[in-house]
Amino acid sequence: MANLPPTLDFAKTEEDICAKWAAEETFKKQDALSIDRGDEEFTFYDGPPFATGLPHYGHILAGTIKDVVTRYACQTGHHVSRRAGWDCHGLPVEYEIDQKLNITHRDQVLAMGVDKYNDTCRGIVMRYTKEWERTVTRLGRWIDFENDYKTMDPTFMESVWWVFKELFKKNLVYQGYKVMPFSTACGTPLSNFEAGLNYKDVKDPAVVVSFPIVGEEGVSFVAWTTTPWTLPSNIALCVHPTLEYLKILDKKADKRYIIAKARLAQLFPIMNSKKKWKPKMADELYAIEATYEGKDLVGKKYTPMFDYFVGTEGSEQYFQVLSDKYVTDDAGTGIVHQAPAFGEDDYRVCLKHGVIYKGQDLPCPVDSNGIFTDEVTDVKGVHVKKADEALIALIKQKSRLVSKDQLEHSYPFCWRSDTPLIYKAVPSWFIKVEEIRDKVVENNKQTYWVPNQVKEGRFHSWLVDARDWAVSRNRFWGTPIPLWCSEDMEEVICIGSVEELYELSGVRVTDLHKDIVDEITIPSKKNPGTVLRRVDEVFDCWFESGSMPYAQMHYPFENKEKFEKGFPADFIAEGLDQTRGWFYTLMVLSTALFDKPAFKNLIVNGLVLASDGKKMSKRLKNYPDPMLVISKYGADALRMYLINSPVVRAESLKFQESGVLGVVKEVFLPLYNAFRFFVQNMERWESNSGSNFVPSTDKVRATTNPTDVWISAATQGLIKFVHEEMTAYRLYTVMPALVSFVTQLTNWYVRLNRDRLKGLEGELDESETGLQVLYLVLLDVTILMAPFTPFITEYFYQHLRKFQPSYALAKDGGGTSNPVMPGKSDSVHFLTLPAYDESRLNQNAVEAMLALQVIVENGRNVREKRKISLRTPIKSITVIMRNPSANVVDSLNGPLKSYILSELNAWDLVIVPEEEEHEWVTLALTPNFNILGRKLGKKIKDFKTFVTSMSHADAVACLENGGLDFEGLTISAKDELVSKLAFSREGDQWESTSTPEGDFVVAIDCTQDEAILSAGRSRELINAIQQLRKAAGLDLSDKVEVFFEESAGMNVVETSVSSNVNVFEAKFQGAVPVPKKFAPSWSVVLRSDTAEIGGSKVEVSICRPAVAGKDGLDDGVGYFLSTLEPSNVVDQSTLSITVDGKEITLKQGEDFWINTVAKLRATKALSWV
């Protein structure tokens, strides 16, 4: 393991792990282990996406959330069935085929044959499933693609039929007209949800037209519209019953109009200009001849704009004035023209006033492709949006055009064809949502949403205003509505299964699509000799997706007990846009069927936008390809970036590729470095101790090292927190905690214990204890993070498991058997997440460590303010804290003190006791203006002067008393005052800073005497030596001798080393740097470089350890000594050699020494050694 690379290619490593999972069928084995244990079922519904396009960041985000939650459930004792699903029917598929085959009209489909059309649709439905599978798998999401469901499967469609029949039996189905958003390009109505997906700013003609009043010569109503194409279908006008209306003479036009008083500016635009308009100008423009209330105008007849529908059947009540409160006076003329075939309010108002009746055909001269029919002879065959100008010209010819303008406004476009929608009355089959609305609202209250405000706000508002749901579409590729009817609609049969269809028709089918079932007739029971035929429509695909809980399991025909046991689902998740889509349809159908919600828990995610805040667009290419991002940084980084963002709180995220890179740099690299550091030092410990490293929880529990106790407590606290928050589905709190912990582990625990873990601080036992703690923390965190970052945790686990005694049990299939345990189990994802150990939680240790971190971080800031390098020691650091606990003070003065001194390179630490803090700081109070501004009003200035002038003692007393009185008002110290400590000690030697909260003050004594400067230069030399060792590729255990050479006449370095010999001995295993002139002639230089120390250039060399000889030795003796390895002669007092035939005996301590420093000490050639 020591060969772990310095940096890990995370993306490549993930690809290797993907291959390993696939080869070993790890996902299937996790599922099998769970079933074998009899784990409690956790029901998850995956909303089916369309496979006609490639997955984007929205899919990746929702998929990651689903994967995290279901992995967590699997690793906390649950079995989760995770089936992939595909939405196969509906507009997205048909639109693509229409584009491909150049189909612009419904008749073209009928001409080619519905069977051929549907076969073409079927051919593209699953086009991108392999790309989806590759992307989803590479993302690390575990979902069953082999056992997937498709909404076009006969079993799925049969369950949809069952759902509809259940509603039919409950009298919740009816046929009627509904004015709906309508795509003329696709020839089908859309749901309000779909209509809201694609609004654009457009310019439309805005005209004011006149309607002459029958029986009042020369007087006309005036109405304003931005859809002139609806005027041929006008059959009524509508006023507000209580608004004030005027009959005026337009003096310039010499015409009389009736208009709302508040809307005169529509006829006289100058009235809108505050600068130009003067009330006296009114006399020049118009004269008021009569005043009315809206209700006074009701029933008046007028001359229609066009006579296309004059005298038609049912037109007796046409062309009169109606009233309704939906009319407003904030735009237009206060009079609204009514075309009930093209406006929801128009339809409602005309129905209410008896101008039209349910079941009666409406004046609707527009076909399903938006083309005027033969009834409108002047523009027949023209698309409605292209007919505006021709119709305006006709109106002008009739002298009925009062004014013409253009209006820029937001208008809905079809989300598939990107063409303008119209609103059009279509015959439709409805579900009576309004009848069960109260139950739906109540069932929603039983669900738990994250974030809750979406449930209580957006979704609740949608439910309380829910209208009957039009579930039929006049299309071809979908689940046919299973209604067989007589021609007069007097006999209607709803079919709920394939078997029922066979019983009634004698035809058994294996495919339920339109081209198959439309050929089947059912003999009439009411009128023998006649047959019932299926209605033409198919289901809106939202009805299918709302039926997926039942249809994916072919309920109730199969899996009845399994479904009912797992319903409602434990968890679902989708984007904010589904509040009016899937979440809604699930809730409506489950309420109608079972009077239950369809789910218990729901996470709603927000939108992932491009970096500029705009919608991601393939055309604009304003976002990086997801697979390229994954191939650069890895899926774990993308997963963590997404779920550690506001988007999991249903807010928007501006996607930044740099954010994904940030996860790699700030989380994964430090975590990998800590892991690699552990492995290297564990192997060093094994080499030095001659023992194998065996994890021991007992040794971890027994440690008294304060940082060990702290990191163990922090780990247990993290485990506890993750379980609490994941139980509450709050991913947005879990990820910041995990990221913060990684920082605590790598930036604090490992750094504070680096030398100890390396074995440089005494006994091997102490090194092992630290390594035991680090191992257990790494193992716990690896398992805990597995649901969130499945790849890097698998990588770590595969290394960490090998130290466990149970690793030996993995062979011969043991790694994929129960019971699972770290070491034995072949994947981290087989394991149960760790439960927190109450006995190891230690709030005192956590609080004390937090105080240490505040002191160290602020101490560094103070150094920077004075530009004092960390290599230069400081004499003392003084800390003043506001109301610290006794535990914190004792810890800082006791076991944590050495860490603070080391981190800040300080010689002393002073924690100022409370009774002395007035000698160091002043407690300053200021008003909390947000609260007191309202409470004190004008007195706030006087109060500010009063409170900021208080002495330290008075301010302390104020806080201790809980507040103060000011001019008869009680001011609370807790909420209404802000308190901060400020350093007040005099003297240039002090530099200080305080925390933003004002509860910590850290000050340093900046005095720089010779001892301080000397120690600083020693630190610089130590750093230079370390850099040379690193450049030479040396290991910690490799010993060297160090020599330096200063410029002639300089002895800065020698002076510094002489004052800090003990520092160098501790750092370099007894080696002390000495002047180069003392080096044996045979010393082998491993690395040499020039360093700047104390402002002067010094040559520093590290050399292979060599035996030193006394001065003046014969060359032959010197050559012999140069061949010796010091470690081999350390215990030899004499050496015998033969030089030129002469036998010579050399004595250690007289003729040779184990190294140069030993020689200098013995000979006193260098007094300070």
Side-chain angles (χ1 to χ4, degrees), residues 104-239:
T104 58
H105 200 280
R106 179 180 176 83
D107 291 343
Q108 292 173 270
V109 178
L110 298 175
M112 75 177 286
V114 176
D115 56 340
K116 291 184 177 64
Y117 183 83
N118 277 358
D119 282 344
T120 311
C121 290
R122 188 182 282 106
I124 72 158
V125 160
M126 305 304 288
R127 178 173 55 194
Y128 292 120
T129 52
K130 288 301 175 187
E131 285 82 352
W132 270 81
E133 186 171 350
R134 271 194 294 273
T135 301
V136 170
T137 302
R138 180 62 188 84
L139 186 68
R141 185 180 178 196
W142 279 0
I143 188 164
D144 187 355
F145 285 104
E146 291 181 15
N147 187 35
D148 60 0
Y149 71 87
K150 305 175 187 70
T151 60
M152 67 180 184
D153 289 339
T155 53
F156 192 99
M157 296 170 73
E158 184 178 26
S159 289
V160 173
W161 276 16
W162 172 82
V163 170
F164 187 73
K165 174 148 190 186
E166 290 299 300
L167 304 189
F168 187 85
K169 282 159 52 177
K170 294 181 179 185
N171 196 30
L172 291 175
V173 176
Y174 71 93
Q175 187 182 33
Y177 275 99
K178 184 172 185 180
V179 177
M180 300 178 69
F182 197 93
S183 170
T184 59
C186 298
T188 189
L190 304 181
S191 66
N192 285 329
F193 157 69
E194 291 171 305
L197 292 176
N198 189 18
Y199 267 82
K200 295 185 178 185
D201 289 335
V202 297
K203 290 182 179 178
D204 276 324
V207 296
V208 177
V209 296
S210 63
F211 295 89
I213 302 173
V214 175
E216 293 189 39
E217 189 70 27
V219 183
S220 299
F221 293 111
V222 285
W224 173 83
T225 181
T226 59
T227 54
W229 63 267
T230 61
L231 287 169
S233 308
N234 168 267
I235 60 171
L237 297 174
C238 189
V239 297

Side-chain angles (χ1 to χ4, degrees), residues 823-973:
K824 170 198 167 189
S825 295
D826 282 346
S827 172
V828 70
H829 303 291
F830 295 169
L831 302 176
T832 301
L833 296 187
Y836 76 94
D837 182 347
E838 184 86 42
S839 68
R840 288 162 64 198
L841 291 174
N842 189 322
Q843 192 58 32
N844 285 344
V846 172
E847 287 177 358
M849 194 64 192
L850 178 61
L852 175 146
Q853 292 174 9
V854 171
I855 293 169
V856 169
E857 286 169 349
N858 281 276
R860 290 181 190 143
N861 292 339
V862 180
R863 278 179 162 276
E864 287 176 12
K865 283 170 74 173
R866 274 290 177 104
K867 294 183 172 53
I868 301 174
S869 165
L870 256 179
R871 291 175 191 160
T872 302
I874 51 175
K875 283 204 164 184
S876 69
I877 180 163
T878 302
V879 178
I880 305 96
M881 294 176 284
R882 187 86 201 111
N883 298 323
S885 68
N887 155 69
V888 168
V889 173
D890 290 346
S891 297
L892 295 177
N893 278 327
L896 294 179
K897 183 173 183 176
S898 61
Y899 290 101
I900 297 172
L901 296 178
S902 174
E903 283 296 299
L904 292 176
N905 193 12
W907 288 356
D908 194 19
L909 170 69
V910 177
I911 306 297
V912 176
E914 185 177 0
E915 60 271 16
E916 296 176 18
E917 65 178 37
H918 65 279
E919 299 175 10
W920 294 86
V921 294
T922 300
L923 179 64
L925 301 180
T926 54
N928 184 335
F929 290 98
N930 290 335
I931 298 175
L932 285 179
R934 294 189 298 271
K935 183 173 180 177
L936 296 179
K938 293 180 180 179
K939 296 180 181 178
I940 189 69
K941 288 186 179 179
D942 293 340
F943 179 73
K944 179 186 176 185
T945 302
F946 166 71
V947 79
T948 54
S949 63
M950 291 175 71
S951 68
H952 175 80
D954 289 342
V956 170
C958 172
L959 294 187
E960 289 175 349
N961 294 331
L964 53 83
D965 292 327
F966 177 75
E967 297 188 6
L969 292 172
T970 299
I971 308 299
S972 167

